[in-house]
Amino acid sequence: MDAESLKPFFSPKGVAVVGASQDPTKLGYGLSRNLVQSNFQGVVHFVNPRGGGLLGRLMYPSILETPDPVDLAILLIPAKSIPQALRECGKRGIQAVIIAAGGFREIGPEGADLENKCLSIAQSYGMRLMGPNSVGLLDTHLPMDATFLPPPGPLPGDVAFISHSGAICAAVVDWARGQSFGLSRLVSLGNQADVSETDVLRPVAADPFTRVLTLYLEGVSDGRRFVSEASQITRLKPIIALKVGRFTSGQRAVASHTGALAGQENAFNAAFRRAGVIRAETSEEVFDWARTLAWTAPPEGRGVAVLTNAGGPGVTAADALESYGLYLSRLSKSTQKELSAILPPAASINNPVDMLASASPEQYAQCLKIILNDPEVHSVMVILPPPPMYTAGAVAKTLIPVIHHSDKPVIIALMGERLIQEAVEHFRAARVPEYRFPERAASALAVLAKRAEYLRRAEQPPITFNEIDKEKAKILLEESMTSKSGGFISQEVAEQLLGIYGISTPITHLARSAEEATRLARQIGFPVALKIASPNVPHKSDVNGVLLGIDDETGVAKGFNHILENVRTNVPKVEIRGVYVQQMAPDGQDVIVGAVQDDQFGPLIMFGSGGIEVEGLKDIAFALAPITAEETEYLLEATWGGRKLGGFRNLKPADCLAVQQAIQRLAQLASDFPEIAEIEINPLRVMGEGQGVLALDVRARINHK
Amino acid sequence: MDAESLKPFFSPKGVAVVGASQDPTKLGYGLSRNLVQSNFQGVVHFVNPRGGGLLGRLMYPSILETPDPVDLAILLIPAKSIPQALRECGKRGIQAVIIAAGGFREIGPEGADLENKCLSIAQSYGMRLMGPNSVGLLDTHLPMDATFLPPPGPLPGDVAFISHSGAICAAVVDWARGQSFGLSRLVSLGNQADVSETDVLRPVAADPFTRVLTLYLEGVSDGRRFVSEASQITRLKPIIALKVGRFTSGQRAVASHTGALAGQENAFNAAFRRAGVIRAETSEEVFDWARTLAWTAPPEGRGVAVLTNAGGPGVTAADALESYGLYLSRLSKSTQKELSAILPPAASINNPVDMLASASPEQYAQCLKIILNDPEVHSVMVILPPPPMYTAGAVAKTLIPVIHHSDKPVIIALMGERLIQEAVEHFRAARVPEYRFPERAASALAVLAKRAEYLRRAEQPPITFNEIDKEKAKILLEESMTSKSGGFISQEVAEQLLGIYGISTPITHLARSAEEATRLARQIGFPVALKIASPNVPHKSDVNGVLLGIDDETGVAKGFNHILENVRTNVPKVEIRGVYVQQMAPDGQDVIVGAVQDDQFGPLIMFGSGGIEVEGLKDIAFALAPITAEETEYLLEATWGGRKLGGFRNLKPADCLAVQQAIQRLAQLASDFPEIAEIEINPLRVMGEGQGVLALDVRARINHK
């Protein structure tokens, strides 16, 4: 799986096109033509059993007959012929193969068998496979266009596009060309029989021309490996992902809120957050954001100045900036003074700075220069509707040197279409991001600010507590797994697990008689709770096996007998070990903390509101387990249940530190034992500051293997 | 203010351009040229004191000398010359004037004075004014281009654009032309010294060519009139509004949650909802939605079928549809059978229907026809990336007749740019909405579904309860307003007001002695609460003037004396009338119901979660008061506090009907008495089904005039 083995895909010395065709309607023609016309400097061989010539070259009847060097083969032949061709590639010593054909896993079991067969052949020769169902790959700087997409290919640029969908590649290349927007590399992964999105991240990121990686994902092949690879890249180059299939949540057996609410989406969000991957919600956002991330430096903060020649678009921009979590910088007195010196009296020298419709190209440039010098301004949006007195192109020309001279990002809202074409061309050539409407410019500025914050945030290792006796927990779990109770371990065992991981539960002792219960209650301190102790009763209150808030000894003695009576009446056959005498928890705020094993990303930790809000409001947030300190804080900030722990109006602040530790400890438990399919503390009672937390109830389900 | 008086703006017999100019850099040239080149069929006169000729016409030295007919004058002269010109227009008998110049209200008090002067001159002659700061207006069908926007003007179309910002007009006209997207009318309102956005709604909607009205609003001049005018139009033609200035919330004195949370935005949302106005969040949405609303019929439901030739865009579309609240229709067995008869075996005949990359124009058309026949399908999104084997144009040509033959809306996601240009042109000519990405197509389909639901919803009058003795409330309020307590009326008066309006408060009696208190408590039934009765104590618990949950007669007697003692110690000088003995409210859910007077829209009613959630989660919704039955239901559905009244998990259902009535009754109170600046019931205790509600606390503030 080493990146070295993928080298022939990205910088082949020689390429053999198997299934090259003279018929212009065939993909075998299209790819051959693209390869030649893209001005690829390596060797190109065409292979077709019928021989003949193509684009001035002879066609070889077999791959075996192609002369050196050939390290990459592209197969444009039908599915059924692929295995034989792969064997020949192997014999020929080719190291990398792209399969364009469909007719594999996507058509059902038969196709999947064929795909597996192809993979084993490739593996037996040590060859790497891209596809099947790949439209190919291209590099505009090498250059090499090894796709069968209709020409022309994309312009050279600095954004790489990696896609699970071939049709999206076709659309993106065509759309980008229409937008005069360049790409550096494009990789169509198809079925990913071998090479996956994660595999290509590193080689694509290594390309010096690529400044931003964009991904169209339908899933990931190995969640944790994706996170690990992406994390290393995002420190250097941004990755933007459009993850589709949001509402096709996987089927899984769930028995807790955590399980029910941990959809694929929450897992992806947690993983992207950890890896620093920026998630786009729409296709347009991907490329809107990519341009700004590729062309501008990250700003030092969220303060934005808006420079406009009209009030309306300025207000629209201000609205959009605020809605994206940015704010309008307060301009200093000296900035305002400088602005008023060159603007008419009716102009607005507050932010948004409105120069009025008469603004000349020089005024645009001078004002921008003044604004960029204000330390409160971290980035600037310049608004340019078709100016009534001048051309937008003239404004662009005077603005560009000012923009290039500053370290702060400047983005243009260039409103209109025909009257601004010249300006569009100037800005694109100068790599200054421009958008048709202020709203989209604001969205790009917001992503830029987030990227800057990510880069400023130091990398943090996940938190682990070393004093935890993992071995003890392991033995406990192994013992519990020999017994059978529908996958659930008993609450007693679950509480012991929490105890080993340092999460407090209420003091509980087992009483076998009313006298013993009374003595234990005295020892614990009143009030106490009584609960039936039976391995066969998962829902104690359903059988009237619980009494809360007992204030005195008489109550305990009576309660002990009462509970035994209730349970014997309601479920006569269960084993009764006695009655638990339990400390009553002090008042506090209730939250929920859970963990679940995700198919793609392994252990996830969840935090949210206690009570019915967790489901009713979906007031929850997820992170990968084990969890970092920053992620723990995020869980609290992202939820109302977490925010109000800090106190709100007449609600007193609760012990946030203890909650954070409980989250981190439960995450460590889930990460240590992947066999715990779900574990949930609901509620976790959070007492006042310095008073700690108590896990009042815990349920855990084990995956018997 | 009658619509008739605006007629000369929209169908003038003769137009005089005052300040027409031979200098091509002047607006007076631009407007003259546009007017002539737009092929306006009425009479056009140019006025310039220097005389001479322009565009083949003689210029008149004065407006007074222009021959009949002239009913509209457009003034392109500096601000200071406007009053004199207006007088001349008045003398000449002109009925409508557009002022293009700036230099009025927007530059400060001096400009405002000038603007007011202009308005009085106009009024003295019975003339209507548009502007100042108007870029003019145009009608592509009349035709008439009376704007000074740079040419070319917009293509003829069916969408009208009414704007408070002139710069946005320039950008929209240019952008629309670039998108081959037509407009019917454009009206630039400028400062609205006289004619406002509300005034022009009716004449613009009356235009038979206009199918959709779009508004760029920075506010409204008269909120209730806007709602009333818009409501009548939206039953026939959709109105889409982009309301900007979202974050410039007005300053107002607030003393309740309702007051603090009722920003301009909530008022606008409530007003738009009542009026059936569709609110767009971005400029692009306005025109994305307008096209679909203008060109397609409203669907019968939210079920959408997606027809695609590739999996990736299909998944993207499915995601987007679900995120907009639409759903993928389940195709019937017979539909699937018909599809499988014409598609290859590997195609997907589930929704999204994936015909595979080989799909021919005929297959596109046949499949669309089959899908449209399925009764479960209410609308269709056809996805068309550049097809590998055919041209997108050929697909468009075969699809269009099928689309035109069906009553169901069909929208195209035409992905790419250059390879799809021919298809774009075919679809635009055929008035079939197409979007570059599935996400934007989904957004348009969602708006279409909402519009259909609005049209299906019967018009409802606001609810008023006739048995309410408004006169009694009026006397009560007048009495309380003579006293002074910082604008607040006493809780006692507020409770009496609620009583008159049929909202229950806990049974309360005034006791003047401990014996009387004991007797009253027995009568009310235990437990009871005791509260100090004093006109000078607004916050009773701050002075220890409240005791809750008293269970027996001894407690009441002791409590009575205890409270008197507390209050006498804490605030020795206040008048004490006795102690209230009050019914303790049964358990239930707590919500908040309030009303506030909005500057623009008058009385608004608010509903939301009780407790700290109202502020912490902003779990609130607003409607105009008085309120309709449908709006009342919306308030409950739109908030978590409302939804959980219906019961949730272990939370029992509460008396939703009683809550709705309380909302409606408080709305009627707020509507009856605009002098009530704010009134808030917090909490309103909601008991179980059929058990009613109790206003446990109420505060009201009066606007002394």
Side-chain angles (χ1 to χ4, degrees):
Chain A
M1 280 293 193
D2 65 318
E4 193 58 26
S5 69
L6 300 180
K7 219 176 147 186
F9 287 112
F10 295 103
S11 49
K13 295 188 188 68
V15 181
V17 181
V18 182
S21 167
Q22 295 165 333
D23 177 352
T25 68
K26 298 278 188 198
L27 304 182
Y29 174 84
L31 194 137
S32 305
R33 176 204 53 213
N34 287 353
L35 197 52
V36 170
Q37 289 183 355
S38 67
N39 205 22
F40 173 57
Q41 298 298 303
V43 174
V44 175
H45 300 305
F46 296 141
V47 178
N48 191 313
R50 275 172 286 181
L54 175 63
L55 302 163
R57 288 152 211 249
L58 271 180
M59 292 211 266
Y60 295 92
S62 156
I63 180 91
L64 292 168
E65 293 173 36
T66 52
D68 277 341
V70 194
D71 43 3
L72 172 64
I74 305 166
L75 310 186
L76 294 146
I77 52 179
K80 62 177 186 341
S81 318
I82 301 281
Q84 179 54 28
L86 279 176
R87 279 189 208 98
E88 291 179 10
C89 287
K91 283 181 197 148
R92 176 64 188 78
I94 286 169
Q95 296 145 287
V97 178
I98 299 172
I99 303 177
F104 292 87
R105 193 173 302 283
E106 76 280 6
I107 65 158
E110 212 178 319
D113 286 347
L114 185 59
E115 191 169 313
N116 291 337
K117 192 175 168 187
C118 292
L119 181 59
S120 4
I121 295 170
Q123 284 171 341
S124 71
Y125 288 102
M127 286 188 300
R128 302 302 304 261
L129 281 191
M130 194 171 284
N133 267 312
S134 165
V135 305
L137 56 78
L138 64 79
D139 181 326
T140 56
H141 299 281
L142 188 59
M144 171 182 79
D145 184 346
T147 74
F148 55 78
L149 297 172
L155 297 170
D158 22 35
V159 176
F161 183 58
I162 298 167
S163 177
H164 282 152
S165 159
I168 301 274
C169 289
V172 162
V173 165
D174 186 40
W175 174 82
R177 186 93 194 189
Q179 303 263 315
S180 318
F181 171 60
L183 296 178
S184 53
R185 289 181 171 181
L186 176 137
V187 184
S188 163
L189 293 160
N191 292 18
Q192 302 195 134
D194 172 22
V195 175
S196 74
E197 75 296 316
T198 304
D199 295 327
V200 299
L201 286 181
R202 199 185 287 246
V204 170
D207 168 33
F209 294 100
T210 294
R211 297 172 65 93
V212 177
L213 285 78
T214 60
L215 312 179
Y216 173 91
L217 297 180
E218 292 175 353
V220 293
S221 36
D222 175 345
R224 289 286 169 149
R225 202 178 135 243
F226 174 84
V227 169
S228 146
E229 290 286 301
S231 301
Q232 294 174 49
I233 292 166
T234 54
R235 286 276 147 196
L236 305 169
K237 298 184 178 184
I239 300 179
I240 307 171
L242 182 71
K243 156 70 181 63
V244 300
R246 257 177 285 175
F247 293 90
T248 54
S249 55
Q251 299 299 313
R252 87 171 90 197
V254 289
S256 67
H257 295 295
T258 314
L261 297 168
Q264 217 195 73
E265 284 316 287
N266 283 314
F268 267 96
N269 286 336
F272 285 165
R273 201 169 183 288
R274 167 76 57 93
V277 170
I278 299 162
R279 181 168 192 173
E281 294 296 319
T282 69
S283 316
E284 278 176 301
E285 277 177 353
V286 174
F287 298 102
D288 275 5
W289 295 350
R291 268 186 295 166
T292 288
L293 288 170
W295 295 347
T296 63
E300 277 178 35
R302 293 186 162 240
V304 184
V306 175
L307 180 64
T308 179
N309 71 349
V315 182
T316 309
D319 275 4
L321 290 169
E322 295 247 17
S323 77
Y324 284 116
L326 305 174
Y327 67 91
L328 290 176
S329 306
R330 181 182 290 268
L331 299 179
S332 73
K333 287 277 162 242
S334 73
T335 300
Q336 296 194 329
K337 210 176 142 192
E338 287 183 66
L339 288 171
S340 65
I342 55 168
L343 291 176
S348 166
I349 52 169
N350 291 314
N351 192 4
V353 174
D354 182 356
M355 304 175 288
L356 303 185
S358 55
S360 66
E362 290 67 33
Q363 278 174 321
Y364 258 102
Q366 285 169 348
C367 289
L368 178 59
K369 203 183 278 178
I370 293 164
I371 288 171
L372 281 168
N373 277 334
D374 192 313
E376 292 300 309
V377 172
H378 305 125
S379 62
V380 178
M381 187 194 306
V382 177
I383 297 177
L384 185 49
M389 318 286 192
Y390 304 89
T391 69
V395 176
K397 268 199 282 190
T398 62
L399 281 178
I400 287 166
V402 181
I403 295 168
H404 281 174
H405 195 259
S406 170
D407 292 337
K408 297 179 181 177
V410 177
I411 289 182
I412 318 290
L414 196 51
M415 301 176 72
E417 185 84 24
R418 300 172 61 271
L419 295 169
I420 54 161
Q421 271 316 312
E422 193 199 334
V424 168
E425 279 155 34
H426 287 312
F427 284 126
R428 284 180 183 168
R431 294 155 58 95
V432 174
E434 37 69 40
Y435 300 93
R436 237 22 90 248
F437 291 95
E439 293 95 334
R440 283 169 73 172
S443 154
L445 281 174
V447 167
L448 204 56
K450 276 186 218 149
R451 169 79 187 154
E453 283 156 17
Y454 170 72
L455 290 176
R456 278 196 293 275
R457 210 155 70 199
E459 267 182 281
Q460 294 184 346
I463 286 173
T464 47
F465 296 88
N466 296 323
E467 85 283 4
I468 289 169
D469 187 349
K470 185 178 166 186
E471 200 51 37
K472 192 171 162 193
K474 194 177 172 194
I475 293 165
L476 183 67
L477 264 173
E478 273 165 9
E479 280 169 5
S480 78
M481 283 166 75
T482 55
S483 75
K484 275 170 209 147
S485 60
F488 284 95
I489 53 174
S490 73
Q491 176 154 6
E492 289 73 28
V493 173
E495 285 179 358
Q496 287 172 47
L497 270 179
L498 294 188
I500 295 170
Y501 274 78
I503 300 170
S504 305
T505 49
I507 302 166
T508 307
H509 294 299
L510 179 63
R512 279 171 207 85
S513 68
E515 293 70 38
E516 198 183 3
T518 316
R519 187 174 50 75
L520 289 168
R522 210 162 42 225
Q523 191 183 314
I524 291 167
F526 290 98
V528 295
L530 299 180
K531 295 179 179 177
I532 189 70
S534 160
N536 319 111
V537 178
H539 298 286
K540 296 178 175 65
S541 28
D542 291 0
V543 296
N544 297 323
V546 177
L547 285 171
L548 299 175
I550 302 172
D551 276 328
D552 54 29
E553 298 185 17
T554 331
V556 171
K558 273 193 200 165
F560 181 94
N561 294 321
H562 192 56
I563 281 186
L564 288 191
E565 215 172 287
N566 284 343
V567 175
R568 280 188 190 126
T569 314
N570 288 323
V571 277
K573 289 184 188 160
V574 301
E575 181 196 338
I576 294 177
R577 291 186 182 161
V579 170
Y580 289 115
V581 184
Q582 192 171 64
Q583 168 196 16
M584 281 293 291
D587 284 348
Q589 297 189 40
D590 283 351
V591 296
I592 178 170
V593 182
V596 65
Q597 291 292 328
D598 181 76
D599 295 343
Q600 297 195 67
F601 293 100
L604 296 179
I605 183 99
M606 182 197 89
F607 173 82
S609 283
I612 57 172
E613 272 69 22
V614 63
E615 275 189 275
L617 282 177
K618 305 235 183 315
D619 181 46
I620 46 165
F622 285 80
L624 298 191
I627 186 172
T628 67
E630 188 275 329
E631 286 169 337
T632 315
E633 278 169 28
Y634 162 75
L635 292 190
L636 266 59
E637 280 160 23
T639 53
W640 165 235
R643 288 193 299 278
K644 72 181 174 184
L645 289 176
F648 192 88
R649 295 284 177 269
N650 57 346
L651 187 70
K652 293 207 182 76
D655 196 336
C656 292
L657 286 178
V659 175
Q660 293 187 351
Q661 271 221 6
I663 292 170
Q664 289 157 357
R665 288 170 179 276
L666 193 72
Q668 186 171 349
L669 171 61
S671 163
D672 284 348
F673 298 100
E675 58 267 44
I676 303 178
E678 294 172 64
I679 182 165
E680 182 171 281
I681 302 172
N682 184 19
L684 180 75
R685 172 69 50 84
V686 191
M687 279 80 76
E689 284 174 298
Q691 308 291 306
V693 295
L694 277 177
L696 298 192
D697 199 1
V698 56
R699 297 193 9 106
R701 188 169 62 82
I702 303 295
N703 241 342
H704 291 281
K705 277 161 194 166
Chain B
M1 281 293 194
D2 65 316
E4 192 59 25
S5 69
L6 300 179
K7 221 176 146 183
F9 288 112
F10 296 102
S11 49
K13 294 188 188 73
V15 181
V17 181
V18 182
S21 167
Q22 294 165 333
D23 178 351
T25 69
K26 298 277 187 200
L27 304 182
Y29 174 83
L31 194 138
S32 304
R33 176 204 53 212
N34 287 353
L35 197 51
V36 170
Q37 289 183 355
S38 67
N39 205 22
F40 173 58
Q41 298 297 302
V43 174
V44 176
H45 300 305
F46 296 141
V47 178
N48 192 313
R50 277 172 284 181
L54 176 62
L55 300 164
R57 286 152 213 250
L58 270 179
M59 294 210 266
Y60 294 92
S62 157
I63 182 90
L64 293 167
E65 292 175 36
T66 53
D68 276 341
V70 194
D71 43 4
L72 172 65
I74 305 167
L75 310 187
L76 294 146
I77 52 180
K80 62 178 185 346
S81 319
I82 301 282
Q84 179 54 27
L86 279 175
R87 280 190 208 96
E88 290 180 10
C89 287
K91 284 181 197 147
R92 175 66 187 79
I94 287 170
Q95 297 146 286
V97 179
I98 298 174
I99 304 177
F104 291 87
R105 192 172 303 283
E106 76 281 6
I107 64 157
E110 209 178 321
D113 286 347
L114 185 59
E115 191 169 314
N116 291 338
K117 189 175 171 190
C118 291
L119 181 59
S120 1
I121 297 170
Q123 284 171 341
S124 71
Y125 289 102
M127 285 188 300
R128 301 303 305 262
L129 281 190
M130 193 171 286
N133 268 312
S134 166
V135 305
L137 57 77
L138 63 80
D139 181 327
T140 56
H141 298 281
L142 188 58
M144 171 182 79
D145 183 346
T147 73
F148 55 78
L149 296 172
L155 297 170
D158 20 36
V159 176
F161 183 58
I162 298 166
S163 177
H164 282 152
S165 159
I168 301 272
C169 290
V172 162
V173 165
D174 187 40
W175 173 82
R177 186 91 193 191
Q179 304 262 315
S180 319
F181 170 61
L183 296 178
S184 53
R185 288 181 171 181
L186 176 137
V187 184
S188 164
L189 294 161
N191 292 17
Q192 301 194 136
D194 172 21
V195 174
S196 73
E197 75 296 316
T198 303
D199 295 327
V200 299
L201 285 180
R202 200 184 288 245
V204 170
D207 168 31
F209 294 100
T210 294
R211 297 171 65 92
V212 177
L213 285 78
T214 60
L215 312 179
Y216 173 92
L217 296 181
E218 292 174 354
V220 294
S221 37
D222 175 345
R224 288 287 170 147
R225 202 178 135 243
F226 174 84
V227 169
S228 146
E229 290 286 300
S231 301
Q232 293 173 51
I233 292 166
T234 54
R235 287 276 146 198
L236 304 168
K237 298 184 178 184
I239 299 178
I240 306 172
L242 182 70
K243 156 70 181 65
V244 301
R246 256 176 285 173
F247 293 90
T248 54
S249 55
Q251 300 299 314
R252 88 171 89 200
V254 290
S256 66
H257 294 296
T258 313
L261 296 168
Q264 214 195 76
E265 285 315 286
N266 283 315
F268 267 96
N269 287 335
F272 285 165
R273 199 166 186 289
R274 167 76 57 91
V277 170
I278 299 163
R279 180 168 193 173
E281 294 296 319
T282 69
S283 316
E284 279 176 301
E285 277 178 354
V286 174
F287 298 101
D288 274 5
W289 295 350
R291 270 185 293 166
T292 288
L293 288 169
W295 295 349
T296 64
E300 276 178 34
R302 294 187 161 239
V304 183
V306 175
L307 180 64
T308 179
N309 71 349
V315 181
T316 309
D319 275 4
L321 290 168
E322 295 246 16
S323 76
Y324 284 116
L326 304 175
Y327 67 90
L328 290 176
S329 306
R330 181 182 290 268
L331 301 179
S332 73
K333 287 279 162 238
S334 72
T335 300
Q336 296 195 327
K337 211 176 140 192
E338 286 181 68
L339 289 171
S340 65
I342 56 168
L343 290 176
S348 166
I349 53 170
N350 291 313
N351 192 3
V353 174
D354 181 357
M355 302 175 288
L356 303 184
S358 55
S360 67
E362 291 68 33
Q363 278 173 322
Y364 258 103
Q366 284 170 348
C367 289
L368 178 59
K369 203 181 279 178
I370 293 165
I371 289 170
L372 281 167
N373 277 334
D374 192 314
E376 291 299 310
V377 172
H378 305 124
S379 62
V380 178
M381 187 196 303
V382 177
I383 296 176
L384 185 50
M389 318 286 192
Y390 304 88
T391 69
V395 175
K397 268 198 281 191
T398 62
L399 281 177
I400 287 165
V402 181
I403 295 167
H404 281 172
H405 195 260
S406 170
D407 292 337
K408 297 179 181 175
V410 178
I411 288 182
I412 318 290
L414 196 50
M415 301 176 72
E417 186 84 26
R418 300 173 58 271
L419 296 169
I420 54 162
Q421 271 316 313
E422 194 199 335
V424 168
E425 280 156 33
H426 287 312
F427 284 126
R428 284 180 182 167
R431 294 157 58 96
V432 173
E434 37 69 40
Y435 300 94
R436 237 20 92 247
F437 292 96
E439 293 95 335
R440 284 169 72 172
S443 154
L445 281 174
V447 167
L448 204 56
K450 275 186 219 150
R451 169 80 186 154
E453 283 155 15
Y454 170 72
L455 291 176
R456 278 197 293 275
R457 210 154 71 199
E459 269 183 280
Q460 294 184 346
I463 286 173
T464 47
F465 297 89
N466 295 324
E467 87 281 5
I468 290 170
D469 187 348
K470 185 178 165 185
E471 201 49 39
K472 193 172 162 191
K474 193 177 171 194
I475 294 164
L476 184 66
L477 264 172
E478 274 164 8
E479 280 170 4
S480 76
M481 284 166 76
T482 56
S483 75
K484 275 172 210 148
S485 60
F488 284 94
I489 52 174
S490 73
Q491 178 154 5
E492 290 71 30
V493 173
E495 283 179 0
Q496 286 173 49
L497 270 178
L498 294 188
I500 295 170
Y501 274 77
I503 301 170
S504 305
T505 48
I507 302 166
T508 307
H509 293 300
L510 179 65
R512 279 170 206 86
S513 68
E515 294 68 40
E516 198 184 1
T518 316
R519 187 175 51 73
L520 288 168
R522 210 162 44 225
Q523 190 183 314
I524 289 167
F526 290 98
V528 296
L530 299 180
K531 297 179 178 176
I532 190 70
S534 161
N536 319 110
V537 177
H539 297 286
K540 297 179 176 66
S541 28
D542 292 359
V543 296
N544 297 323
V546 177
L547 284 171
L548 300 174
I550 302 171
D551 278 326
D552 52 30
E553 298 185 16
T554 330
V556 171
K558 274 192 200 166
F560 182 93
N561 295 321
H562 192 59
I563 282 185
L564 288 191
E565 216 170 288
N566 285 342
V567 175
R568 280 188 190 127
T569 314
N570 290 322
V571 275
K573 291 183 187 161
V574 300
E575 180 196 341
I576 295 177
R577 291 184 182 164
V579 169
Y580 289 115
V581 184
Q582 191 172 63
Q583 169 196 16
M584 282 293 291
D587 285 347
Q589 298 188 39
D590 282 353
V591 296
I592 178 171
V593 183
V596 66
Q597 290 291 329
D598 181 77
D599 295 342
Q600 298 195 68
F601 293 100
L604 296 180
I605 182 100
M606 183 197 89
F607 174 82
S609 282
I612 58 172
E613 271 69 22
V614 64
E615 274 190 275
L617 282 177
K618 304 234 183 315
D619 182 45
I620 45 165
F622 284 80
L624 298 190
I627 186 172
T628 68
E630 189 274 329
E631 286 168 338
T632 315
E633 279 168 28
Y634 161 76
L635 292 190
L636 266 59
E637 280 160 23
T639 53
W640 165 235
R643 288 193 300 276
K644 71 181 175 185
L645 290 176
F648 192 87
R649 298 282 177 270
N650 56 347
L651 187 72
K652 293 207 182 75
D655 196 336
C656 292
L657 286 177
V659 175
Q660 293 188 351
Q661 272 221 6
I663 292 170
Q664 290 156 358
R665 288 171 180 275
L666 193 72
Q668 185 171 349
L669 172 61
S671 164
D672 284 349
F673 297 100
E675 58 266 45
I676 303 179
E678 293 172 67
I679 183 166
E680 182 171 280
I681 303 172
N682 183 20
L684 180 74
R685 172 68 51 84
V686 191
M687 279 80 77
E689 285 174 298
Q691 309 292 306
V693 294
L694 277 177
L696 298 193
D697 199 1
V698 57
R699 303 203 351 117
R701 189 168 63 81
I702 302 296
N703 240 343
H704 291 282
K705 275 161 197 166

